[in-house]
Amino acid sequence: EAQVTQNPRYLITVTGKKLTVTCSQNMNHEYMSWYRQDPGLGLRQIYYSMNVEVTDKGDVPEGYKVSRKEKRNFPLILESPSPNQTSLYFCASSPDRGLGEQYFGPGTRLTVT
Amino acid sequence: GENVEQHPSTLSVQEGDSAVIKCTYSDSASNYFPWYKQELGKRPQLIIDIRSNVGEKKDQRIAVTLNKTAKHFSLHITETQPEDSAVYFCAATSSSFNKFYFGSGTKLNVKP
């Protein structure tokens, strides 16, 4: 089954404790992206990747890191999480840059206390 | 960067009526405009999209119109049904189709 998976789905952590949210797709898509969703703000792009070893900042990259060592995986790293990073995070992938449908993962609900 | 504004933030219609959601964008270089539907507790899913060389696109009860001169695009849903109740997001992207800017969302409630 073609899908985008994220882990964990829910995470409660404390300020400053490094964490990684994994994202994996099995559709051989070149384009992958991370978004955060906050009430009243819609979806905001954090980072995106056009292909392996090619990543770039989205609209709200501060406090986040990403890597793309393999085509299928695109982890999101929070080196020192802060309460303002409490949010719902979505990973997405697309076969042709960002043109056409982006397939979203199920989301990761992160709470930083 | 691009700024996408979406209105209204909430919309309540009677089943069978039409619903219209409007978005404006600021960057005239944007040329791809998708619409996503997000049901409660679910992930966003693409429902329709339009490229800047097209003025209108229709898919059954859903249509999108684009006015490049005025820099606005709209989602039209006809004969609304309760299952259309969801949050709808518009988005705009640059000519390289890599950076995306989403609107703040419209919560549509279709009353039976």
Side-chain angles (χ1 to χ4, degrees):
Chain A
E1 179 192 355
Q3 59 182 351
V4 178
T5 57
Q6 293 179 228
N7 282 293
R9 295 289 313 280
Y10 303 90
L11 180 60
I12 300 174
T13 189
V14 296
T15 299
K17 186 176 181 183
K18 181 179 178 180
L19 66 92
T20 299
V21 183
T22 65
C23 173
S24 184
Q25 51 94 3
N26 62 1
M27 297 170 280
N28 202 36
H29 288 170
E30 292 189 345
Y31 180 90
M32 297 186 74
S33 184
W34 276 103
Y35 298 89
R36 59 177 290 174
Q37 183 175 15
D38 302 288
L41 296 177
L43 292 152
R44 292 181 292 168
Q45 191 174 38
I46 303 170
Y47 270 93
Y48 65 92
S49 171
M50 300 292 281
N51 213 326
V52 176
E53 302 292 0
V54 182
T55 63
D56 208 346
K57 297 176 181 178
D59 204 27
V60 289
E62 295 78 19
Y64 305 94
K65 284 175 58 177
V66 293
S67 69
R68 187 92 181 273
K69 293 184 171 55
E70 306 164 282
K71 199 171 189 179
R72 62 184 295 129
N73 296 324
F74 190 44
L76 179 70
I77 303 154
L78 284 72
E79 296 265 1
S80 183
S82 62
N84 64 11
Q85 293 178 298
T86 292
S87 187
L88 176 60
Y89 291 87
F90 286 101
C91 177
S93 73
S94 176
D96 181 11
R97 296 168 289 173
L99 184 62
E101 180 162 10
Q102 289 191 64
Y103 295 85
F104 283 81
T108 294
R109 174 76 65 183
L110 173 65
T111 302
V112 183
T113 60
Chain B
E2 172 70 280
N3 181 43
V4 177
E5 295 192 355
Q6 183 172 346
H7 299 281
S9 56
T10 59
L11 180 59
S12 190
V13 300
Q14 207 66 39
E15 182 178 359
D17 288 350
S18 295
V20 180
I21 302 170
K22 299 181 179 181
C23 288
T24 61
Y25 61 99
S26 60
D27 188 352
S28 56
S30 291
N31 59 5
Y32 174 62
F33 307 92
W35 285 87
Y36 283 81
K37 174 184 180 182
Q38 186 179 28
E39 296 176 355
L40 188 62
K42 301 287 181 66
R43 67 195 80 184
Q45 288 190 294
L46 181 74
I47 55 171
I48 196 166
D49 56 7
I50 192 167
R51 294 187 65 168
S52 59
N53 57 350
V54 176
E56 184 173 359
K57 184 177 178 180
K58 192 172 182 180
D59 182 4
Q60 299 182 343
R61 297 186 296 108
I62 294 172
V64 56
T65 58
L66 171 65
N67 184 325
K68 279 209 72 178
T69 304
K71 290 189 280 188
H72 68 72
F73 55 113
S74 300
L75 178 70
H76 305 254
I77 305 174
T78 59
E79 301 171 21
T80 54
Q81 301 165 3
E83 51 264 40
D84 293 330
S85 294
V87 178
Y88 292 81
F89 293 99
C90 64
T93 186
S94 62
S95 57
S96 53
F97 308 114
N98 49 24
K99 293 188 79 167
F100 278 82
Y101 298 89
F102 281 79
S104 53
T106 296
K107 185 175 182 180
L108 174 64
N109 179 36
V110 180
K111 295 176 285 185

